[in-house]
Amino acid sequence: LLYGAQDVVTARRLIDNNGNPEQQRIEIHKLNAMVALAEAVTCRRQVLLNYFGDSLPPTDGNAGDRNSTGSARYHCGNCDICLNPPETFDATVDAQKALSCVYRVNQRFGIKHIIDVLRGADTDRMRSLAHSGLSTYGIGSDKTEQEWTSIIRQLIHRGYLVQDIANYSVLKLTP
């Protein structure tokens, strides 16, 4: 799929050279989904199933099958992540900030815009949409764009957010 970060740059350049904006939007979404799979820290099978609108049932709830917050964990027991879990950290506050931001922009924008709001981007678009006046504006300025992208991808992988590909990949909250 992708051998290294330069492959992502090359793929993005090829997509940008396509003259059809609608096709570009779809291909960018697909590329981002592929990068998200490569960067996943949750069960890769679950990530793939989420992409196709399906999911694994939570594991049976044994102590080892719960995350640090006590929520059920999904795992297939076969992928590299399930067999050798990566080190994680508690991102509860950051997750709350991101979810709150998605809510406050009425679930009408994609990842990049959510990150711009969280990081407090000072742009004409922020001002024209009045998003610089939101309570979530700038509350995530301590994190880089890459850190926020990773956090939001994990929220998607874990089922807290979905990307509506038919609607310009806007982020939507799940129940």
Side-chain angles (χ1 to χ4, degrees):
L1 298 175
L2 302 169
Y3 187 75
Q6 187 57 42
D7 292 340
V8 177
V9 173
T10 301
R12 190 170 300 275
R13 190 176 308 123
L14 289 171
I15 292 168
D16 289 343
N17 288 334
N18 180 338
N20 182 336
E22 185 63 19
Q23 188 64 35
Q24 280 181 327
R25 182 182 66 78
I26 293 167
E27 294 302 322
I28 289 288
H29 177 81
K30 289 178 180 179
L31 177 61
N32 287 339
M34 190 172 16
V35 170
L37 174 65
E39 293 178 352
V41 294
T42 56
C43 174
R44 292 195 199 277
R45 182 171 179 209
Q46 182 62 47
V47 173
L48 284 170
L49 289 170
N50 280 347
Y51 180 81
F52 292 107
D54 203 354
S55 67
L56 286 172
T59 54
D60 65 8
N62 294 330
D65 295 331
R66 301 253 165 206
N67 63 25
S68 61
T69 64
S71 301
R73 213 171 63 113
Y74 298 92
H75 64 81
C76 66
N78 295 310
C79 73
D80 62 323
I81 300 295
C82 290
L83 295 174
N84 188 17
E87 189 175 324
T88 60
F89 65 96
D90 184 351
T92 303
V93 172
D94 293 327
Q96 290 169 335
K97 290 176 183 179
L99 295 171
S100 179
C101 189
V102 170
Y103 175 79
R104 295 195 188 311
V105 299
N106 297 315
Q107 304 179 75
R108 293 180 43 229
F109 295 88
I111 291 174
K112 181 169 178 5
H113 188 79
I114 297 300
I115 292 169
D116 285 347
V117 173
L118 289 167
R119 296 192 70 227
D122 184 23
T123 65
D124 289 338
R125 186 166 192 230
M126 283 296 149
R127 289 185 290 278
S128 70
L129 293 168
H131 288 175
S132 56
L134 295 174
S135 61
T136 54
Y137 180 78
I139 64 172
S141 60
D142 60 323
K143 301 248 181 292
T144 67
E145 183 175 346
Q146 292 168 324
E147 288 171 314
W148 277 116
T149 299
S150 179
I151 290 166
I152 292 171
R153 282 184 179 152
Q154 294 310 311
L155 290 171
I156 293 167
H157 295 330
R158 293 179 183 268
Y160 294 102
L161 292 171
V162 293
Q163 280 184 294
D164 184 355
I165 189 172
N167 189 19
Y168 300 96
S169 296
V170 300
L171 293 172
K172 300 212 181 250
L173 300 167
T174 64

